[in-house]
Amino acid sequence: MVEGRTHRPIIQPSRCHSCDVCIRGCPAEFIPEYRLEEESLRGTLYRGKMGKKTVPGNVPLPPCQEACPINQDTRGYVALIAKGKFKEALELVREVNPLPAVCGFICHHPCEEACLREGVDHPIPIRLLKRFIAEYGRASERARKGTKRKRRETILVVGSGPAGLACANDLSLLGFRVTIFEALPVLGGMLSVGIPEFRLPREILRMEIDGIRELGVVMETNHSFRFGRNGRTLKRSGFDAIFLSMGAHRSSKLDIPGEFLHGVFPGVEFLRDINLGRKVEIGKKVVVIGGGNVAIDVARSALRLGSKKVDLYYRRSRKEMPAISEEVEEAAREGVNIHLLTAPVRMIGKRGKAIGMECIRMRLGEPDKNGRRKPVPIQGSNFKVDADTIISAIGQRVDQKPLKGLEKNPDGTIRVAPETGETSLKGVFAGGDMVTGPGWAIDAIAAGKKGAEAIARYLS
Amino acid sequence: MMTKECKKETAPKIKRKTLSVKARKKGFSPVEYGLLKEEAIKEAEHCLGLRECESCEICSLLCPDLCITRDEKTGEVLIDLDYCKGCGICASVCPKGAIEMALEEGK
Ligand SMILES: Cc1cc2nc3c(=O)[nH]c(=O)nc-3n(C[C@H](O)[C@H](O)[C@H](O)COP(=O)(O)OP(=O)(O)OC[C@H]3O[C@@H](n4cnc5c(N)ncnc54)[C@H](O)[C@@H]3O)c2cc1C
Ligand code: SF4
Ligand code: SF4
Ligand code: SF4
């Protein structure tokens, strides 16, 4: 019992938001001996400290945090920014997000869509704020967390995209030894061979990857991994668990005549070649097919490579375009002509080389099972356009070759247990685009974190 | 006072600052510019969350006696008065003003 107290604190439940701040600010963070006390109340309290995950259902998270796949404490770091505490804000973000700067540049920001301030004037520019603190804190030391090797097990992460990086980061923080195999000569997955440099500067990506490497993660490029037929791979590989995050890198086919003409390329391959510094052939009149990020990035890259006229054809309307809306606007400003409700019918060639494309106009019909309205061709509305380069970017699939022996869904994605992300092989987990199909970086990060958690549980 | 409220007056959406379209054609330089320090603070001040809680996690001013905890089942925040020494730090930092310091009987 304490003596000499003059005032006593009384919580007023009607005003308390149960936000946890008073608890989380606990000085045991600063006076480590407190944590070790076996008997005392404060020691007990510290060990019982709650994480975000245990927030009971009756205390709703703010909408921005709820909308975020990794539930970043938006309100918390925005408040710190308002007070000018940029370093602390970044630390708060880093607690759950291994790639804050990347998110600051390219996240599709579901938090902003959920932001309640929208009703007052406009949503808080959460992505830009995150970018600001990440760039501001660039020079400053990355907060080093205890990364003592507490565990003997080694884990293999296949693929160095956001899912793989997040998984390696979290496992490493938990004390495991982690090795990443990356088939390509560069690290970062689609962040480095998909998204063009004008949206995500490479030194930013490098900085984030270096931060993860500093935790002791071994990263081997030019090392592609293959699954044996019978699932004995895990035992033979010498790893205790495997996390697969190989993404979806094969362009889907249009299945129309003329696709094999010279001058017709798949979108992700085109971007990969640019990003790896390979030479790409591009004409003056370019046609791009698709309405996602890949299509928009291809069109904008083509303009930068000297094409004079870039036309993009998408079969639904602007509203259904999956690309990030700001980026579509930028593309239009740069001079990409966006043609909606138009689909290709065939490519026209001359002596084996593409010279144009025949299109047909579409209208929107009934919504499909995802609620997106299905485009229906308008008979007799065909027309032709000239082009010397045609790039199709209508989606990506998972490369099946290295994945023998794993159960898959009909669309080629890997089948996993929804709770843990474990595949049909014991000890082999998967996440990211290869499970969901092409998606968003932050969802891949969330999947990587979930995988790390599940692997830790599996090995305990 | 530690408590900070969100800016109530409305403000126009900040205009996205980008590289000029002409300069973009010259290569793959970054298109979008980041926020300046002042802009970041100004934008952050509009977060409605500031009215309810600041989630001021790093605050070193909080309970030196570790006697505040939360019932995980109900979400209720509890203070163990057997160990609290009455410094009042919690009350002064709670951005919601949800802790009140009451005079102890007989003092
Ligand atoms: C052009 C483009 C633009 C995009 N823009 C955005 C955006 O603005 N915002 C956003 O949030 N998301 C965007 N995305 C989506 C985002 O990049 C992906 O959702 C995300 O990168 C998926 O992460 P991942 O880790 O699952 O896979 P990936 O990033 O695809 O990484 C998989 C990695 O695994 C490697 N790999 C594959 N097979 C093997 C093997 N057998 N052995 C070893 N390594 C292997 C691959 O080489 C690759 O590096 C974009 C995607 C593209 C293509
Ligand atoms: S800081 Fe948050 S949790 Fe603590 S009393 Fe105030 S409102 Fe409640
Ligand atoms: S105002 Fe927006 S950013 Fe701030 S807490 Fe509410 S939803 Fe989150
Ligand atoms: S008054 Fe508040 S800060 Fe001080 S010891 Fe008690 S609970 Fe902790």
Side-chain angles (χ1 to χ4, degrees):
Chain A
M1 224 357 214
V2 151
E3 279 171 29
R5 173 172 67 202
T6 53
H7 287 74
R8 58 161 70 205
I10 312 278
I11 303 242
Q12 288 171 294
S14 61
R15 285 156 85 188
C16 172
H17 239 239
S18 195
C19 67
D20 212 10
V21 163
C22 47
I23 304 164
R24 276 186 299 150
C26 157
E29 298 283 357
F30 302 92
I31 310 172
E33 303 87 81
Y34 282 7
R35 305 175 203 172
L36 304 173
E37 291 174 353
E38 281 293 328
E39 305 281 87
S40 80
L41 177 69
R42 61 191 179 193
T44 320
L45 287 173
Y46 185 80
R47 282 192 301 279
K49 250 180 63 160
M50 293 146 284
K52 281 273 147 50
K53 292 271 154 55
T54 52
V55 171
N58 58 355
V59 184
L61 295 175
C64 46
Q65 193 174 356
E66 187 72 52
C68 174
I70 56 170
N71 296 134
Q72 297 173 80
D73 185 358
T74 315
R75 184 171 60 175
Y77 67 78
V78 170
L80 287 167
I81 296 170
K83 285 207 248 165
K85 300 192 170 181
F86 307 130
K87 214 170 130 242
E88 289 83 352
L90 184 57
E91 269 164 33
L92 186 58
V93 172
R94 278 222 170 108
E95 250 179 40
V96 293
N97 188 345
L99 302 167
V102 166
C103 291
F105 275 84
I106 56 100
C107 188
H108 71 303
H109 50 68
C111 52
E112 288 181 28
E113 263 71 69
C115 178
L116 288 178
R117 182 88 198 190
E118 169 99 75
V120 182
D121 40 19
H122 60 270
I124 305 297
I126 301 171
R127 178 179 64 82
L128 280 171
L129 288 172
K130 191 180 284 116
R131 171 175 164 179
F132 170 75
I133 48 172
E135 287 194 292
Y136 193 88
R138 236 173 110 173
S140 78
E141 267 291 278
R142 191 185 160 93
R144 257 171 241 281
K145 296 217 183 113
T147 53
K148 268 190 254 131
R149 294 274 164 263
K150 294 187 289 265
R151 312 276 310 224
R152 289 218 322 280
E153 297 96 329
T154 39
I155 293 145
L156 172 65
V157 172
V158 184
S160 64
L165 289 173
C167 185
N169 179 79
D170 282 21
L171 284 171
S172 193
L173 288 176
L174 288 170
F176 291 98
R177 291 167 204 281
V178 188
T179 301
I180 299 183
F181 286 175
E182 168 56 58
L184 293 170
V186 291
L187 295 163
M190 281 303 189
L191 303 178
S192 99
V193 297
I195 301 179
E197 219 172 328
F198 57 84
R199 288 210 289 129
L200 178 61
R202 293 305 181 247
E203 80 252 28
I204 294 282
L205 181 59
R206 217 171 302 128
M207 165 188 90
E208 304 251 84
I209 294 176
D210 285 347
I212 296 172
R213 190 186 282 116
E214 274 164 31
L215 299 174
V217 175
V218 179
M219 304 184 180
E220 296 184 16
T221 47
N222 292 314
H223 192 150
S224 91
F225 176 84
R226 247 168 195 285
F227 246 98
R229 193 179 295 275
N230 45 21
R232 263 187 283 138
T233 318
L234 181 57
K235 266 199 209 108
R236 263 190 290 132
S237 67
F239 292 97
D240 298 285
I242 299 184
F243 182 74
L244 301 174
S245 51
M246 293 145 78
H249 285 226
R250 287 202 89 90
S251 286
S252 304
K253 290 269 169 301
L254 275 167
D255 273 338
I256 58 170
E259 226 182 327
F260 302 102
L261 287 169
H262 192 75
V264 181
F265 312 115
V268 277
E269 277 83 343
F270 175 74
L271 290 174
R272 187 187 311 147
D273 286 347
I274 298 178
N275 280 315
L276 292 176
R278 296 181 186 148
K279 219 177 126 35
V280 290
E281 283 174 60
I282 183 120
K284 294 287 168 217
K285 270 183 268 167
V286 178
V287 159
V288 182
I289 304 160
N293 285 307
V294 184
I296 295 291
D297 284 341
V298 164
R300 297 174 72 188
S301 300
L303 279 179
R304 285 164 170 77
L305 292 171
S307 302
K308 289 287 165 270
K309 188 165 176 290
V310 178
D311 291 273
L312 182 141
Y313 294 90
Y314 178 54
R315 60 195 183 128
R316 298 178 215 239
S317 73
R318 176 74 180 77
K319 213 176 90 223
E320 284 83 18
M321 273 183 131
I324 299 179
S325 163
E326 293 106 287
E327 303 303 334
V328 180
E329 276 160 35
E330 292 301 340
R333 272 183 62 196
E334 287 166 14
V336 174
N337 306 308
I338 298 173
H339 307 271
L340 300 167
L341 290 165
T342 312
V345 181
R346 69 185 174 99
M347 317 282 183
I348 307 165
K350 199 170 165 188
R351 278 185 242 111
K353 201 175 164 341
I355 56 160
M357 186 173 80
E358 183 177 331
C359 305
I360 188 162
R361 297 241 183 260
M362 314 289 270
R363 66 180 169 77
L364 289 180
E366 295 303 307
D368 61 11
K369 61 178 188 312
N370 301 326
R372 278 214 305 186
R373 290 178 64 191
K374 241 177 111 123
V376 195
I378 304 171
Q379 289 310 324
S381 65
N382 300 39
F383 63 98
K384 287 181 189 154
V385 293
D386 289 343
D388 41 25
T389 304
I390 303 174
I391 304 178
S392 74
I394 54 159
Q396 293 91 252
R397 300 175 145 268
V398 179
D399 187 1
Q400 302 293 323
K401 263 188 260 136
L403 298 172
K404 292 207 181 91
L406 280 182
E407 258 176 48
K408 319 228 175 53
N409 296 314
D411 63 354
T413 52
I414 305 300
R415 182 173 301 163
V416 297
E419 273 311 305
T420 58
E422 189 161 9
T423 65
S424 53
L425 297 180
K426 213 165 141 38
V428 179
F429 297 74
D433 280 6
M434 76 183 302
V435 169
T436 58
W440 301 106
I442 190 68
D443 290 307
I445 293 175
K449 293 178 71 73
K450 199 172 93 179
E453 239 182 83
I455 288 174
R457 226 177 297 127
Y458 167 76
L459 291 175
S460 67
Chain B
M1 257 322 261
M2 291 280 293
T3 313
K4 188 161 191 170
E5 290 231 332
C6 73
K7 283 265 160 57
K8 296 206 180 63
E9 71 271 24
T10 58
K13 196 170 170 169
I14 42 160
K15 259 190 83 183
R16 200 178 191 215
K17 280 175 301 174
T18 51
L19 194 67
S20 78
V21 169
K22 220 172 121 217
R24 294 185 201 182
K25 299 273 162 67
K26 297 210 178 85
F28 281 67
S29 320
V31 165
E32 188 186 41
Y33 296 139
L35 299 174
L36 300 175
K37 190 167 143 191
E38 296 70 33
E39 291 170 327
I41 293 178
K42 202 169 134 253
E43 288 298 321
E45 281 174 340
H46 283 81
C47 172
L48 299 171
L50 300 194
R51 236 192 298 180
E52 290 177 344
C53 176
E54 301 216 52
S55 294
C56 47
E57 171 151 271
I58 31 68
C59 180
S60 56
L61 297 170
L62 300 189
C63 181
D65 279 0
L66 284 170
C67 54
I68 312 184
T69 180
R70 185 171 61 174
D71 185 332
E72 288 209 43
K73 289 207 187 69
T74 61
E76 200 188 352
V77 172
L78 306 165
I79 297 180
D80 190 322
L81 293 175
D82 284 353
Y83 285 82
C84 165
K85 66 174 175 286
C87 66
I89 294 176
C90 58
S92 70
V93 294
C94 175
K96 266 214 81 182
I99 299 179
E100 198 174 62
M101 299 302 291
L103 196 60
E104 288 273 27
E105 284 135 51
K107 288 276 154 77

